[in-house]
């Protein structure tokens, strides 16, 4: 059987992850900006361990032996998730959708918010996965790049789609065929995370900003533009603007996108590359327009009606957080039932109303409108057909590509 060589994180990869943890997407909880610096410190500690020992060899995806499923005898699930990524009741303690699932099925859910960052969490479960042991978790939620790695290493269980009728039927088209899990054999998305263009219409004089070309070339925006310090978001949006597909670009395409942004740096069109700290400057108008994360914009708009967003005609980048069942999990069938439950439109609507990220479930609009009509019409939560058609994903990278690309991007942003 062909084996993977140990994967080690290069210096550029480590630097990119530190940026993400300290002030990038990894610095956010999934609903509000609550993550403390202590969590980042823990995560950085995990980085050192990953760098030092590498990832042990493992079988290719699909070669991992199925675990013994104790679902019938043990009516429970151990579910690990991010903070603020599940609906709560008015008492701030109950979890209505989870409670309803238990009442319906008799399956108890031990729900733990123990994921503060992808890297930290991977460091926590990696030793058990590498040793072929149960992690103590039946269902976890991780971001697409980490989901891809876990699947590639053979550390995720293949799903039985007979247990996932709602998920199979209701998964939105834009999330159906990621290159790292074609046909969703191992994963289903929990939420989508769109990267869009945001602007403060007071700072732009009422003008709409709706393309990377404007960000990089409009003299009226000079010095008041920011891009994100996350490579896949900024390079992906620039590739789209150049007419390139982020799902199938070449080394030359990547270099051309970086070169285009470098010109923006050299001419001082770009003020800076940021993590989520662009939000304060955008709200004040110090940044007039930027590449931004949709979740931030929903929050900003609640307090500042001058904050607007646009979807470029060329398209936009969407990443996702995904449900996986780790190898050796004891309650696979129970976990699949819970995954499928969150693809029932009334349940998906309740979740979307709380977390305010893109709902990957079709048929939710009517149910969400019963909860909040404004959310049902917000295309950052429920993309309409035209917006969904413009969604693109950044392709999976080999370890060699990631090292080379992150090194080039680090030079661009001065990291």
């Amino acid at each position: 059987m062909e084996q993977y060589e140990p994967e080690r994180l290069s210096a550029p990869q480590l630097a990119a992850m530190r940026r993400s943890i300290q002030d990038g997407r990894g610095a956010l909880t999934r609903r509000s900006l609550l993550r403390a610096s202590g969590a980042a410190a823990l995560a950085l500690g995990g980085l050192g361990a990953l760098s030092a020992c590498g990832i042990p060899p493992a079988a290719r995806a699909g070669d991992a032996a199925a675990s013994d499923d104790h679902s019938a005898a043990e009516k429970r699930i151990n579910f690990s998730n991010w903070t603020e990524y599940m609906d709560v009741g008015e008492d701030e303690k109950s979890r209505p959708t989870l409670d309803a699932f238990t009442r319906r099925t008799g399956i108890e859910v031990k729900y733990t918010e123990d994921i503060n960052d992808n890297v930290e969490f991977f460091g926590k479960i990696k030793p058990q996965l590498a040793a072929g042991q149960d992690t103590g978790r039946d269902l976890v939620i991780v971001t697409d790049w980490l989901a891809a790695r876990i699947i590639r290493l053979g550390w995720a269980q293949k799903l039985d789609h007979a247990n996932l009728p709602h998920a199979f039927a209701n998964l939105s088209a834009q999330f159906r065929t990621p290159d790292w899990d074609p046909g969703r054999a191992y994963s289903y998305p929990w939420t989508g995370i769109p990267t869009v263009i945001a602007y403060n219409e007071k700072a732009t004089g009422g003008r709409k900003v709706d393309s990377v070309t404007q960000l990089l070339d409009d003299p009226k925006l000079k010095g008041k533009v920011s891009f994100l310090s996350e490579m896949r978001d900024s390079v992906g949006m620039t590739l789209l603007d150049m007419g390139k597909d982020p799902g199938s670009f070449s080394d030359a395409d990547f270099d051309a996108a970086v070169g285009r942004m470098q010109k923006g740096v050299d001419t001082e069109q770009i003020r800076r590359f940021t993590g989520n700290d662009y939000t304060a400057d955008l709200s004040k108008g110090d940044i007039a327009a930027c590449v931004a994360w949709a979740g931030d914009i929903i929050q900003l708009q609640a307090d500042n009606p001058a904050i607007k967003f646009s979807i470029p005609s060329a398209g936009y980048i969407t990443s996702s957080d995904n449900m996986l069942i780790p190898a050796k999990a004891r309650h696979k069938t129970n976990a699949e039932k819970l995954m499928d439950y969150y693809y029932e439109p009334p349940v998906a609507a309740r979740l979307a109303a709380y977390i305010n990220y893109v709902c990957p479930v079709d048929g939710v609009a009517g149910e969400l409108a019963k909860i909040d009509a404004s959310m049902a019409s917000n295309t950052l939560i429920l993309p309409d057909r035209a917006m969904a058609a413009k969604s693109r994903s950044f392709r999976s990278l080999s370890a060699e590509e990631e090292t080379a690309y992150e090194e080039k991007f680090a030079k661009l942003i001065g990291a």
Side-chain angles (χ1 to χ4, degrees):
M1 181 186 298
E2 184 178 355
Q3 299 274 314
Y4 279 120
E5 292 299 317
E7 294 187 36
R8 295 182 182 274
L9 296 175
S10 66
Q13 287 173 305
L14 288 170
M17 289 177 179
R18 287 189 178 96
R19 291 196 302 274
S20 177
I21 292 164
Q22 290 168 334
D23 65 359
R25 189 188 298 147
L28 306 176
T29 63
R30 290 317 203 238
R31 186 170 183 267
S32 56
L33 310 181
L34 299 176
R35 182 156 302 149
S37 58
L42 276 173
L44 289 171
L47 284 173
L50 285 174
S51 178
C53 64
I55 300 173
R60 285 190 179 277
D63 289 342
S67 66
D68 293 331
D69 190 354
H70 299 266
S71 293
E74 300 174 1
K75 294 290 188 180
R76 59 179 180 268
I77 303 168
N78 296 314
F79 181 6
S80 284
N81 203 350
W82 298 75
T83 306
E84 299 290 324
Y85 224 12
M86 179 65 72
D87 58 299
V88 298
E90 293 182 1
D91 59 4
E92 296 296 327
K93 294 180 181 179
S94 62
R95 301 191 180 278
T97 57
L98 285 178
D99 295 343
F101 174 79
T102 296
R103 289 194 298 271
R104 180 198 294 185
T105 64
I107 299 170
E108 296 287 339
V109 182
K110 181 182 178 182
Y111 181 76
T112 308
E113 294 181 333
D114 61 344
I115 306 179
N116 291 312
D117 171 80
N118 285 289
V119 176
E120 176 197 358
F121 183 67
F122 188 48
K124 188 184 300 183
I125 64 175
K126 180 176 69 68
Q128 291 96 336
L129 291 170
Q133 299 172 352
D134 180 13
T135 66
R137 299 166 176 85
D138 302 302
L139 188 64
V140 301
I141 293 181
V142 293
T143 303
D144 44 19
W145 67 266
L146 180 54
R149 176 171 288 179
I150 291 172
I151 292 168
R152 186 173 71 245
L153 291 168
W155 292 346
Q157 295 198 51
K158 194 168 186 177
L159 301 173
D160 181 352
H161 283 87
N163 294 328
L164 296 157
H166 295 97
F168 185 81
N170 296 334
L171 176 62
S172 297
Q174 73 180 92
F175 295 102
R176 283 189 176 270
T177 56
D179 65 350
W180 47 270
D181 187 16
R184 291 291 180 179
Y186 296 88
S187 70
Y188 269 90
W190 184 251
T191 57
I193 307 169
T195 301
V196 299
I197 291 178
Y199 59 100
N200 184 322
E201 65 178 0
K202 288 185 178 178
T204 65
R207 292 182 302 118
K208 182 178 182 179
V209 180
D210 60 4
S211 71
V212 170
T213 293
Q214 278 181 276
L215 293 178
L216 291 174
D217 297 339
D218 187 343
K220 294 181 179 179
L221 298 177
K222 184 174 181 178
K224 291 190 173 185
V225 167
S226 68
F227 279 67
L228 292 167
S229 59
E230 298 274 358
M231 178 189 71
R232 289 167 177 79
D233 296 302
S234 287
V235 174
M237 292 290 281
T238 304
L239 284 167
L240 282 167
D241 193 71
M242 296 166 59
K244 303 295 183 179
D245 182 359
S248 61
F249 62 88
S250 65
D251 288 348
D253 295 333
F254 182 90
D255 290 345
V258 170
R260 190 155 181 236
M261 285 185 283
Q262 184 65 60
K263 181 180 177 182
V265 172
D266 295 342
T267 62
E268 299 183 345
Q269 179 78 8
I270 297 176
R271 184 188 185 104
R272 61 191 182 106
F273 289 82
T274 76
N276 69 283
D277 52 324
Y278 70 87
T279 56
D281 285 344
L282 179 64
S283 190
K284 290 186 295 184
D286 293 341
I287 291 292
C290 60
V291 177
W293 290 307
D296 291 338
I297 304 311
I298 294 173
Q299 295 176 39
L300 290 177
Q301 287 178 327
D303 298 318
N304 188 344
I307 303 301
K308 307 293 182 182
F309 78 94
S310 61
I311 302 299
S313 60
Y316 65 102
I317 295 292
T318 299
S319 57
S320 58
D321 284 336
N322 306 273
M323 296 181 278
L324 292 176
I325 300 175
K328 300 298 180 180
R330 287 180 63 88
H331 310 108
K332 177 176 182 285
T333 298
N334 290 346
E336 288 168 339
K337 289 179 179 178
L338 185 62
M339 293 171 71
D340 192 61
Y341 171 73
Y342 279 100
Y343 273 78
E344 296 179 19
V347 181
R350 177 64 187 256
L351 182 67
Y354 184 80
I355 64 177
N356 294 171
Y357 278 82
V358 168
C359 179
V361 182
D362 280 342
V364 168
E367 297 294 337
L368 189 55
K370 297 175 185 177
I371 301 170
D372 187 326
S374 66
M375 287 186 182
S377 62
N378 189 331
T379 54
L380 294 181
I381 298 174
L382 295 182
D384 57 22
R385 185 173 299 179
M387 182 172 171
K390 294 180 180 180
S391 173
R392 299 291 183 271
S393 297
F394 198 93
R395 71 171 173 83
S396 298
L397 302 178
S398 68
E400 293 78 12
E401 286 177 324
E402 188 166 15
T403 296
Y405 291 172
E406 288 289 5
E407 185 173 292
K408 292 174 181 178
F409 189 69
K411 290 179 180 178
L412 167 70
I413 69 176

